[in-house]
Amino acid sequence: MSKTYLGVDIGGTAVKLGLVDENGRVLRRAERSVSFDGYKTPILNTVQTAIRDFLGSHDVPKLEGIGVSATGQIDSRRGVVAGTCGNFPGWIGVDIKGTLEREFGLPVTVANDANCMVLGEVWVGAAKGYTDVIGVTLGTGVGGGIITGGRLLEGARGLGGELGHFRLHALDGVACTCGAIGCYERYAATTALVRSAQKAGLDAPDGRAIFEAAAAGDARTLAVLNGWINEIAQGLAGLVHIFNPQMILIGGGVSAQQALLIDPLAAQVRKSIMPAFAEGLEVRAAALQNDAGLVGAVYYFRNNSIDLHP
C-alpha cells in the first residue's frame, strides 16, 4: 500500500492541507483562513484546529508524518519560526515542529514555503529531473529556493535562499519591511509593480488590472511592466552568475502570464548574463500552483538529507 503523508502549507492568509502519497499526488485538499480575525487567534492555533477537523472529517489512512511548509524565515533544524520581516504578529519564535508533534503524535518537519515550492517542482513539477534550479515566487513579497547539485541550499540554520532580501539598490533604494534599504522584493514583487504603475498615474488597483491593460496594448502600462521585468531580470542575472542553474522557475499568480512575463523575462535575463551562463538555461513557470507547498513539504519530510538524487 502506498505511504501517505499530511502536507500543511501555512501562508500569511490561509493554511492549505492535503493528503499526499509517496508519488507526490495530492489525494485530498482543504483550506482555512488564518487571518479571519486579524490574527487575534494565533496562527498555529488555527492550524491545529484545521488539521483536527481535516483528519476527523475523512477516512484517513495511516499517516507516516507531517510535512509543513511555512511562511517566514524558518529554522528548519528546530522547526521554529526565526523571523518574519515585520509581518504576521506573534509568529516569530513559534515552535511549529514541537507543538504539532505533541498534538498529533507524528514526526514533523518544517521548511520555508518558497523552499518547499521549488522542492515540489523538482520532485513532480516543471523542474522534474533537474539538479540546479533557482525558484522565485513573485507575490506580495519575493520568496525563493535554490537547488544546487541536487540539494536544497539551506545554510547553517535552514534560513538560506532568502532571495527577497538581497539588495539591488542599497544606497538609494526603497525602504523594506525588514528594516533594510533596496531589497530585491521592493522592486520585484507584484506589489512593486502596482506601486510603479500608480506612481505613473495609471488606474492600477492590482496586478491583474495591470496585466489586462498590458494585454490590451496600453503603451504606458507596457512601459511600466517592462521596467518591472527588467528589475526582476537584473536580480536573477546576479544569481545566475553565482549558481549557474539549468533552470529559473517562476512561481506566484503572475507566473501564468507566459507572453507578458515569462517570455520577456527569459529574454532579458539572457541579455544580462555572460554567454556561457546562458547556454542551456531555461526560464519556466511553476506547474503545481496551489499544491506546490503541500507537495514540497512532504518531499522535505521524506528526504531529511534534502538530497534529490540519493
Side-chain angles (χ1 to χ4, degrees), residues 209-243:
I210 293 170
F211 278 101
E212 287 175 353
D218 182 77
R220 289 199 303 156
T221 302
L222 283 167
V224 169
L225 183 60
N226 289 336
W228 179 64
I229 289 171
N230 186 54
E231 289 283 2
I232 300 170
Q234 297 316 305
L236 292 175
L239 294 171
V240 166
H241 286 139
I242 297 171
F243 294 105

PDB file of all heavy atoms in Angstrom, residues 209-243:
ATOM      1  N   ALA A 209      -5.206  43.933 -12.979  1.00  0.00           N
ATOM      2  CA  ALA A 209      -5.602  45.066 -13.819  1.00  0.00           C
ATOM      3  C   ALA A 209      -4.451  45.517 -14.715  1.00  0.00           C
ATOM      4  O   ALA A 209      -4.658  45.893 -15.877  1.00  0.00           O
ATOM      5  CB  ALA A 209      -6.079  46.222 -12.941  1.00  0.00           C
ATOM      6  N   ILE A 210      -3.245  45.461 -14.187  1.00  0.00           N
ATOM      7  CA  ILE A 210      -2.075  45.871 -14.969  1.00  0.00           C
ATOM      8  C   ILE A 210      -1.854  44.928 -16.141  1.00  0.00           C
ATOM      9  O   ILE A 210      -1.637  45.361 -17.284  1.00  0.00           O
ATOM     10  CB  ILE A 210      -0.828  45.938 -14.069  1.00  0.00           C
ATOM     11  CG1 ILE A 210      -0.982  47.067 -13.053  1.00  0.00           C
ATOM     12  CG2 ILE A 210       0.438  46.135 -14.905  1.00  0.00           C
ATOM     13  CD1 ILE A 210       0.069  47.079 -11.975  1.00  0.00           C
ATOM     14  N   PHE A 211      -1.926  43.628 -15.908  1.00  0.00           N
ATOM     15  CA  PHE A 211      -1.716  42.676 -16.989  1.00  0.00           C
ATOM     16  C   PHE A 211      -2.844  42.745 -18.016  1.00  0.00           C
ATOM     17  O   PHE A 211      -2.612  42.555 -19.223  1.00  0.00           O
ATOM     18  CB  PHE A 211      -1.549  41.261 -16.438  1.00  0.00           C
ATOM     19  CG  PHE A 211      -0.161  40.972 -15.956  1.00  0.00           C
ATOM     20  CD1 PHE A 211       0.152  41.014 -14.601  1.00  0.00           C
ATOM     21  CD2 PHE A 211       0.848  40.682 -16.855  1.00  0.00           C
ATOM     22  CE1 PHE A 211       1.445  40.760 -14.160  1.00  0.00           C
ATOM     23  CE2 PHE A 211       2.148  40.424 -16.421  1.00  0.00           C
ATOM     24  CZ  PHE A 211       2.449  40.472 -15.073  1.00  0.00           C
ATOM     25  N   GLU A 212      -4.058  43.039 -17.567  1.00  0.00           N
ATOM     26  CA  GLU A 212      -5.171  43.192 -18.514  1.00  0.00           C
ATOM     27  C   GLU A 212      -4.943  44.394 -19.419  1.00  0.00           C
ATOM     28  O   GLU A 212      -5.161  44.335 -20.640  1.00  0.00           O
ATOM     29  CB  GLU A 212      -6.495  43.327 -17.761  1.00  0.00           C
ATOM     30  CG  GLU A 212      -6.973  42.022 -17.140  1.00  0.00           C
ATOM     31  CD  GLU A 212      -8.221  42.199 -16.300  1.00  0.00           C
ATOM     32  OE1 GLU A 212      -8.644  43.363 -16.088  1.00  0.00           O
ATOM     33  OE2 GLU A 212      -8.784  41.175 -15.848  1.00  0.00           O
ATOM     34  N   ALA A 213      -4.479  45.509 -18.828  1.00  0.00           N
ATOM     35  CA  ALA A 213      -4.209  46.701 -19.636  1.00  0.00           C
ATOM     36  C   ALA A 213      -3.039  46.465 -20.584  1.00  0.00           C
ATOM     37  O   ALA A 213      -3.048  46.916 -21.733  1.00  0.00           O
ATOM     38  CB  ALA A 213      -3.923  47.892 -18.721  1.00  0.00           C
ATOM     39  N   ALA A 214      -2.037  45.740 -20.112  1.00  0.00           N
ATOM     40  CA  ALA A 214      -0.893  45.432 -20.970  1.00  0.00           C
ATOM     41  C   ALA A 214      -1.307  44.535 -22.132  1.00  0.00           C
ATOM     42  O   ALA A 214      -0.878  44.734 -23.274  1.00  0.00           O
ATOM     43  CB  ALA A 214       0.207  44.770 -20.152  1.00  0.00           C
ATOM     44  N   ALA A 215      -2.169  43.553 -21.855  1.00  0.00           N
ATOM     45  CA  ALA A 215      -2.639  42.652 -22.904  1.00  0.00           C
ATOM     46  C   ALA A 215      -3.452  43.397 -23.948  1.00  0.00           C
ATOM     47  O   ALA A 215      -3.464  43.017 -25.135  1.00  0.00           O
ATOM     48  CB  ALA A 215      -3.479  41.529 -22.294  1.00  0.00           C
ATOM     49  N   ALA A 216      -4.112  44.477 -23.511  1.00  0.00           N
ATOM     50  CA  ALA A 216      -4.883  45.300 -24.445  1.00  0.00           C
ATOM     51  C   ALA A 216      -4.004  46.256 -25.238  1.00  0.00           C
ATOM     52  O   ALA A 216      -4.494  46.976 -26.113  1.00  0.00           O
ATOM     53  CB  ALA A 216      -5.952  46.076 -23.679  1.00  0.00           C
ATOM     54  N   GLY A 217      -2.707  46.289 -24.923  1.00  0.00           N
ATOM     55  CA  GLY A 217      -1.776  47.094 -25.699  1.00  0.00           C
ATOM     56  C   GLY A 217      -1.556  48.507 -25.207  1.00  0.00           C
ATOM     57  O   GLY A 217      -0.985  49.332 -25.938  1.00  0.00           O
ATOM     58  N   ASP A 218      -1.966  48.814 -23.963  1.00  0.00           N
ATOM     59  CA  ASP A 218      -1.772  50.170 -23.442  1.00  0.00           C
ATOM     60  C   ASP A 218      -0.271  50.461 -23.311  1.00  0.00           C
ATOM     61  O   ASP A 218       0.441  49.768 -22.568  1.00  0.00           O
ATOM     62  CB  ASP A 218      -2.462  50.319 -22.087  1.00  0.00           C
ATOM     63  CG  ASP A 218      -2.318  51.723 -21.532  1.00  0.00           C
ATOM     64  OD1 ASP A 218      -3.035  52.610 -22.005  1.00  0.00           O
ATOM     65  OD2 ASP A 218      -1.454  51.918 -20.639  1.00  0.00           O
ATOM     66  N   ALA A 219       0.186  51.500 -24.007  1.00  0.00           N
ATOM     67  CA  ALA A 219       1.624  51.769 -24.096  1.00  0.00           C
ATOM     68  C   ALA A 219       2.231  52.133 -22.744  1.00  0.00           C
ATOM     69  O   ALA A 219       3.331  51.686 -22.403  1.00  0.00           O
ATOM     70  CB  ALA A 219       1.877  52.884 -25.105  1.00  0.00           C
ATOM     71  N   ARG A 220       1.541  52.945 -21.954  1.00  0.00           N
ATOM     72  CA  ARG A 220       2.105  53.359 -20.656  1.00  0.00           C
ATOM     73  C   ARG A 220       2.188  52.174 -19.704  1.00  0.00           C
ATOM     74  O   ARG A 220       3.164  52.031 -18.958  1.00  0.00           O
ATOM     75  CB  ARG A 220       1.249  54.474 -20.043  1.00  0.00           C
ATOM     76  CG  ARG A 220       1.377  55.814 -20.763  1.00  0.00           C
ATOM     77  CD  ARG A 220       0.898  56.946 -19.873  1.00  0.00           C
ATOM     78  NE  ARG A 220      -0.479  56.749 -19.436  1.00  0.00           N
ATOM     79  CZ  ARG A 220      -1.000  57.283 -18.333  1.00  0.00           C
ATOM     80  NH1 ARG A 220      -0.251  58.021 -17.529  1.00  0.00           N
ATOM     81  NH2 ARG A 220      -2.271  57.076 -18.017  1.00  0.00           N
ATOM     82  N   THR A 221       1.182  51.318 -19.728  1.00  0.00           N
ATOM     83  CA  THR A 221       1.214  50.127 -18.875  1.00  0.00           C
ATOM     84  C   THR A 221       2.337  49.193 -19.291  1.00  0.00           C
ATOM     85  O   THR A 221       3.054  48.636 -18.444  1.00  0.00           O
ATOM     86  CB  THR A 221      -0.131  49.386 -18.944  1.00  0.00           C
ATOM     87  OG1 THR A 221      -1.182  50.269 -18.540  1.00  0.00           O
ATOM     88  CG2 THR A 221      -0.126  48.164 -18.036  1.00  0.00           C
ATOM     89  N   LEU A 222       2.512  49.016 -20.593  1.00  0.00           N
ATOM     90  CA  LEU A 222       3.585  48.149 -21.087  1.00  0.00           C
ATOM     91  C   LEU A 222       4.952  48.679 -20.675  1.00  0.00           C
ATOM     92  O   LEU A 222       5.849  47.900 -20.343  1.00  0.00           O
ATOM     93  CB  LEU A 222       3.502  48.026 -22.606  1.00  0.00           C
ATOM     94  CG  LEU A 222       2.404  47.089 -23.130  1.00  0.00           C
ATOM     95  CD1 LEU A 222       2.193  47.288 -24.628  1.00  0.00           C
ATOM     96  CD2 LEU A 222       2.746  45.635 -22.818  1.00  0.00           C
ATOM     97  N   ALA A 223       5.108  49.999 -20.666  1.00  0.00           N
ATOM     98  CA  ALA A 223       6.393  50.581 -20.260  1.00  0.00           C
ATOM     99  C   ALA A 223       6.681  50.286 -18.791  1.00  0.00           C
ATOM    100  O   ALA A 223       7.811  49.937 -18.411  1.00  0.00           O
ATOM    101  CB  ALA A 223       6.388  52.086 -20.512  1.00  0.00           C
ATOM    102  N   VAL A 224       5.649  50.424 -17.941  1.00  0.00           N
ATOM    103  CA  VAL A 224       5.814  50.126 -16.516  1.00  0.00           C
ATOM    104  C   VAL A 224       6.110  48.642 -16.324  1.00  0.00           C
ATOM    105  O   VAL A 224       6.998  48.260 -15.551  1.00  0.00           O
ATOM    106  CB  VAL A 224       4.554  50.536 -15.728  1.00  0.00           C
ATOM    107  CG1 VAL A 224       4.607  49.997 -14.302  1.00  0.00           C
ATOM    108  CG2 VAL A 224       4.416  52.055 -15.699  1.00  0.00           C
ATOM    109  N   LEU A 225       5.379  47.791 -17.033  1.00  0.00           N
ATOM    110  CA  LEU A 225       5.574  46.347 -16.920  1.00  0.00           C
ATOM    111  C   LEU A 225       6.987  45.959 -17.345  1.00  0.00           C
ATOM    112  O   LEU A 225       7.653  45.149 -16.680  1.00  0.00           O
ATOM    113  CB  LEU A 225       4.539  45.621 -17.771  1.00  0.00           C
ATOM    114  CG  LEU A 225       4.551  44.091 -17.720  1.00  0.00           C
ATOM    115  CD1 LEU A 225       4.298  43.588 -16.308  1.00  0.00           C
ATOM    116  CD2 LEU A 225       3.513  43.518 -18.688  1.00  0.00           C
ATOM    117  N   ASN A 226       7.464  46.538 -18.435  1.00  0.00           N
ATOM    118  CA  ASN A 226       8.813  46.221 -18.907  1.00  0.00           C
ATOM    119  C   ASN A 226       9.881  46.668 -17.912  1.00  0.00           C
ATOM    120  O   ASN A 226      10.900  45.985 -17.730  1.00  0.00           O
ATOM    121  CB  ASN A 226       9.056  46.861 -20.274  1.00  0.00           C
ATOM    122  CG  ASN A 226       8.265  46.181 -21.373  1.00  0.00           C
ATOM    123  OD1 ASN A 226       7.893  45.013 -21.258  1.00  0.00           O
ATOM    124  ND2 ASN A 226       7.986  46.902 -22.450  1.00  0.00           N
ATOM    125  N   GLY A 227       9.659  47.805 -17.256  1.00  0.00           N
ATOM    126  CA  GLY A 227      10.598  48.253 -16.229  1.00  0.00           C
ATOM    127  C   GLY A 227      10.651  47.296 -15.058  1.00  0.00           C
ATOM    128  O   GLY A 227      11.735  47.016 -14.516  1.00  0.00           O
ATOM    129  N   TRP A 228       9.490  46.791 -14.665  1.00  0.00           N
ATOM    130  CA  TRP A 228       9.418  45.814 -13.568  1.00  0.00           C
ATOM    131  C   TRP A 228      10.115  44.511 -13.950  1.00  0.00           C
ATOM    132  O   TRP A 228      10.891  43.949 -13.157  1.00  0.00           O
ATOM    133  CB  TRP A 228       7.948  45.553 -13.239  1.00  0.00           C
ATOM    134  CG  TRP A 228       7.687  44.553 -12.161  1.00  0.00           C
ATOM    135  CD1 TRP A 228       8.022  44.631 -10.848  1.00  0.00           C
ATOM    136  CD2 TRP A 228       6.977  43.307 -12.316  1.00  0.00           C
ATOM    137  NE1 TRP A 228       7.570  43.526 -10.165  1.00  0.00           N
ATOM    138  CE2 TRP A 228       6.927  42.702 -11.037  1.00  0.00           C
ATOM    139  CE3 TRP A 228       6.380  42.671 -13.399  1.00  0.00           C
ATOM    140  CZ2 TRP A 228       6.304  41.467 -10.832  1.00  0.00           C
ATOM    141  CZ3 TRP A 228       5.751  41.447 -13.186  1.00  0.00           C
ATOM    142  CH2 TRP A 228       5.728  40.857 -11.914  1.00  0.00           C
ATOM    143  N   ILE A 229       9.867  44.043 -15.164  1.00  0.00           N
ATOM    144  CA  ILE A 229      10.507  42.810 -15.631  1.00  0.00           C
ATOM    145  C   ILE A 229      12.023  42.971 -15.642  1.00  0.00           C
ATOM    146  O   ILE A 229      12.768  42.045 -15.287  1.00  0.00           O
ATOM    147  CB  ILE A 229       9.969  42.420 -17.021  1.00  0.00           C
ATOM    148  CG1 ILE A 229       8.520  41.938 -16.895  1.00  0.00           C
ATOM    149  CG2 ILE A 229      10.834  41.342 -17.671  1.00  0.00           C
ATOM    150  CD1 ILE A 229       7.815  41.733 -18.221  1.00  0.00           C
ATOM    151  N   ASN A 230      12.501  44.150 -16.013  1.00  0.00           N
ATOM    152  CA  ASN A 230      13.943  44.380 -16.022  1.00  0.00           C
ATOM    153  C   ASN A 230      14.537  44.307 -14.618  1.00  0.00           C
ATOM    154  O   ASN A 230      15.636  43.768 -14.425  1.00  0.00           O
ATOM    155  CB  ASN A 230      14.275  45.731 -16.648  1.00  0.00           C
ATOM    156  CG  ASN A 230      15.768  45.931 -16.806  1.00  0.00           C
ATOM    157  OD1 ASN A 230      16.465  45.112 -17.387  1.00  0.00           O
ATOM    158  ND2 ASN A 230      16.280  47.027 -16.248  1.00  0.00           N
ATOM    159  N   GLU A 231      13.809  44.824 -13.624  1.00  0.00           N
ATOM    160  CA  GLU A 231      14.281  44.717 -12.236  1.00  0.00           C
ATOM    161  C   GLU A 231      14.386  43.251 -11.816  1.00  0.00           C
ATOM    162  O   GLU A 231      15.368  42.834 -11.187  1.00  0.00           O
ATOM    163  CB  GLU A 231      13.339  45.461 -11.294  1.00  0.00           C
ATOM    164  CG  GLU A 231      13.392  46.979 -11.399  1.00  0.00           C
ATOM    165  CD  GLU A 231      14.619  47.561 -10.701  1.00  0.00           C
ATOM    166  OE1 GLU A 231      15.447  46.808 -10.172  1.00  0.00           O
ATOM    167  OE2 GLU A 231      14.728  48.805 -10.695  1.00  0.00           O
ATOM    168  N   ILE A 232      13.372  42.465 -12.151  1.00  0.00           N
ATOM    169  CA  ILE A 232      13.406  41.039 -11.826  1.00  0.00           C
ATOM    170  C   ILE A 232      14.604  40.382 -12.499  1.00  0.00           C
ATOM    171  O   ILE A 232      15.358  39.604 -11.892  1.00  0.00           O
ATOM    172  CB  ILE A 232      12.106  40.338 -12.271  1.00  0.00           C
ATOM    173  CG1 ILE A 232      10.893  40.942 -11.569  1.00  0.00           C
ATOM    174  CG2 ILE A 232      12.185  38.832 -11.973  1.00  0.00           C
ATOM    175  CD1 ILE A 232       9.562  40.471 -12.143  1.00  0.00           C
ATOM    176  N   ALA A 233      14.797  40.719 -13.766  1.00  0.00           N
ATOM    177  CA  ALA A 233      15.866  40.095 -14.552  1.00  0.00           C
ATOM    178  C   ALA A 233      17.248  40.425 -14.010  1.00  0.00           C
ATOM    179  O   ALA A 233      18.138  39.556 -13.988  1.00  0.00           O
ATOM    180  CB  ALA A 233      15.759  40.533 -16.012  1.00  0.00           C
ATOM    181  N   GLN A 234      17.450  41.669 -13.559  1.00  0.00           N
ATOM    182  CA  GLN A 234      18.781  42.034 -13.065  1.00  0.00           C
ATOM    183  C   GLN A 234      19.137  41.263 -11.800  1.00  0.00           C
ATOM    184  O   GLN A 234      20.279  40.839 -11.607  1.00  0.00           O
ATOM    185  CB  GLN A 234      18.859  43.545 -12.823  1.00  0.00           C
ATOM    186  CG  GLN A 234      18.689  44.385 -14.085  1.00  0.00           C
ATOM    187  CD  GLN A 234      19.489  43.842 -15.260  1.00  0.00           C
ATOM    188  OE1 GLN A 234      20.703  43.654 -15.168  1.00  0.00           O
ATOM    189  NE2 GLN A 234      18.812  43.577 -16.368  1.00  0.00           N
ATOM    190  N   GLY A 235      18.166  41.070 -10.926  1.00  0.00           N
ATOM    191  CA  GLY A 235      18.421  40.253  -9.745  1.00  0.00           C
ATOM    192  C   GLY A 235      18.717  38.813 -10.112  1.00  0.00           C
ATOM    193  O   GLY A 235      19.642  38.188  -9.574  1.00  0.00           O
ATOM    194  N   LEU A 236      17.943  38.270 -11.047  1.00  0.00           N
ATOM    195  CA  LEU A 236      18.167  36.891 -11.472  1.00  0.00           C
ATOM    196  C   LEU A 236      19.512  36.733 -12.161  1.00  0.00           C
ATOM    197  O   LEU A 236      20.178  35.693 -12.007  1.00  0.00           O
ATOM    198  CB  LEU A 236      17.037  36.440 -12.401  1.00  0.00           C
ATOM    199  CG  LEU A 236      15.660  36.285 -11.749  1.00  0.00           C
ATOM    200  CD1 LEU A 236      14.613  35.944 -12.805  1.00  0.00           C
ATOM    201  CD2 LEU A 236      15.696  35.217 -10.666  1.00  0.00           C
ATOM    202  N   ALA A 237      19.927  37.746 -12.898  1.00  0.00           N
ATOM    203  CA  ALA A 237      21.226  37.666 -13.568  1.00  0.00           C
ATOM    204  C   ALA A 237      22.356  37.494 -12.563  1.00  0.00           C
ATOM    205  O   ALA A 237      23.282  36.694 -12.765  1.00  0.00           O
ATOM    206  CB  ALA A 237      21.458  38.912 -14.413  1.00  0.00           C
ATOM    207  N   GLY A 238      22.296  38.235 -11.468  1.00  0.00           N
ATOM    208  CA  GLY A 238      23.306  38.072 -10.428  1.00  0.00           C
ATOM    209  C   GLY A 238      23.302  36.681  -9.848  1.00  0.00           C
ATOM    210  O   GLY A 238      24.363  36.069  -9.625  1.00  0.00           O
ATOM    211  N   LEU A 239      22.106  36.126  -9.619  1.00  0.00           N
ATOM    212  CA  LEU A 239      22.001  34.779  -9.066  1.00  0.00           C
ATOM    213  C   LEU A 239      22.500  33.724 -10.052  1.00  0.00           C
ATOM    214  O   LEU A 239      23.117  32.734  -9.656  1.00  0.00           O
ATOM    215  CB  LEU A 239      20.550  34.491  -8.677  1.00  0.00           C
ATOM    216  CG  LEU A 239      19.989  35.340  -7.531  1.00  0.00           C
ATOM    217  CD1 LEU A 239      18.489  35.125  -7.400  1.00  0.00           C
ATOM    218  CD2 LEU A 239      20.696  35.016  -6.221  1.00  0.00           C
ATOM    219  N   VAL A 240      22.229  33.938 -11.325  1.00  0.00           N
ATOM    220  CA  VAL A 240      22.715  33.004 -12.347  1.00  0.00           C
ATOM    221  C   VAL A 240      24.234  32.946 -12.345  1.00  0.00           C
ATOM    222  O   VAL A 240      24.847  31.871 -12.437  1.00  0.00           O
ATOM    223  CB  VAL A 240      22.187  33.397 -13.739  1.00  0.00           C
ATOM    224  CG1 VAL A 240      22.948  32.659 -14.846  1.00  0.00           C
ATOM    225  CG2 VAL A 240      20.698  33.098 -13.852  1.00  0.00           C
ATOM    226  N   HIS A 241      24.881  34.096 -12.186  1.00  0.00           N
ATOM    227  CA  HIS A 241      26.342  34.117 -12.189  1.00  0.00           C
ATOM    228  C   HIS A 241      26.928  33.459 -10.939  1.00  0.00           C
ATOM    229  O   HIS A 241      28.075  33.006 -10.952  1.00  0.00           O
ATOM    230  CB  HIS A 241      26.844  35.557 -12.306  1.00  0.00           C
ATOM    231  CG  HIS A 241      26.682  36.130 -13.678  1.00  0.00           C
ATOM    232  ND1 HIS A 241      26.270  37.417 -13.896  1.00  0.00           N
ATOM    233  CD2 HIS A 241      26.859  35.578 -14.904  1.00  0.00           C
ATOM    234  CE1 HIS A 241      26.222  37.637 -15.204  1.00  0.00           C
ATOM    235  NE2 HIS A 241      26.562  36.536 -15.830  1.00  0.00           N
ATOM    236  N   ILE A 242      26.160  33.390  -9.878  1.00  0.00           N
ATOM    237  CA  ILE A 242      26.633  32.717  -8.660  1.00  0.00           C
ATOM    238  C   ILE A 242      26.382  31.215  -8.717  1.00  0.00           C
ATOM    239  O   ILE A 242      27.262  30.416  -8.391  1.00  0.00           O
ATOM    240  CB  ILE A 242      25.948  33.308  -7.407  1.00  0.00           C
ATOM    241  CG1 ILE A 242      26.321  34.782  -7.230  1.00  0.00           C
ATOM    242  CG2 ILE A 242      26.339  32.515  -6.154  1.00  0.00           C
ATOM    243  CD1 ILE A 242      25.520  35.494  -6.164  1.00  0.00           C
ATOM    244  N   PHE A 243      25.178  30.812  -9.170  1.00  0.00           N
ATOM    245  CA  PHE A 243      24.765  29.413  -9.037  1.00  0.00           C
ATOM    246  C   PHE A 243      24.756  28.624 -10.343  1.00  0.00           C
ATOM    247  O   PHE A 243      24.636  27.398 -10.307  1.00  0.00           O
ATOM    248  CB  PHE A 243      23.379  29.346  -8.393  1.00  0.00           C
ATOM    249  CG  PHE A 243      23.362  29.832  -6.977  1.00  0.00           C
ATOM    250  CD1 PHE A 243      22.832  31.071  -6.663  1.00  0.00           C
ATOM    251  CD2 PHE A 243      23.909  29.071  -5.962  1.00  0.00           C
ATOM    252  CE1 PHE A 243      22.836  31.544  -5.357  1.00  0.00           C
ATOM    253  CE2 PHE A 243      23.918  29.524  -4.664  1.00  0.00           C
ATOM    254  CZ  PHE A 243      23.388  30.768  -4.357  1.00  0.00           C
TER     255      PHE A 243
END
